[in-house]
Amino acid sequence: MPDKGEIEQLILSGRGNTEDYKVIKTFPLLLQSVDTVKAFVNDMSQMEGDVLLLAGKYVINAKSLMGIFSLNLSDPLQLRFEDWKEEYAPVVEKYLAP
């Protein structure tokens, strides 16, 4: 069975134009206060594309205030960008888990 790297190579080689390839990135995240969650949602709403929060078996839209408050925020979360751009890095750094 091919591993993840081999699958990605096959996908890329099947595409004629690799400029359409989106970079997916995941970061550990900790949101511990209501004010932090509000600021986080505001910042994520400025991002293009899908931004997701992963918590166990749950996947929530990171641009949804109600969705985030449905999670257990005492546990670390995973922040996933479906179309990562390096210009997002300074914003994401504010919320990274220690």
Side-chain angles (χ1 to χ4, degrees):
M1 174 159 250
D3 65 13
K4 183 179 177 181
E6 291 172 329
I7 292 171
E8 288 176 358
Q9 282 300 108
L10 288 170
I11 291 170
L12 284 175
S13 66
R15 295 181 181 175
N17 185 358
T18 57
E19 292 176 14
D20 294 336
Y21 184 69
K22 294 181 179 182
V23 176
I24 298 173
K25 268 205 157 169
T26 304
F27 301 92
L29 185 74
L30 199 53
L31 300 172
Q32 295 185 325
S33 72
V34 172
D35 291 333
T36 303
V37 172
K38 288 178 183 178
F40 174 78
V41 169
N42 187 41
D43 286 341
M44 294 304 109
S45 295
Q46 306 303 315
M47 309 293 176
E48 295 177 9
D50 292 330
V51 184
L52 306 172
L53 279 177
L54 311 166
K57 63 181 179 178
Y58 300 105
V59 178
I60 303 295
N61 181 351
K63 299 175 183 180
S64 168
L65 189 62
M66 288 182 57
I68 293 173
F69 281 123
S70 72
L71 300 173
N72 179 1
L73 297 178
S74 63
D75 293 336
L77 306 168
Q78 294 292 315
L79 176 64
R80 179 178 176 142
F81 287 86
E82 297 291 319
D83 189 11
W84 172 255
K85 295 180 176 130
E86 287 301 321
E87 63 201 46
Y88 299 162
V91 175
V92 172
E93 285 179 8
K94 298 188 289 187
Y95 304 104
L96 294 179

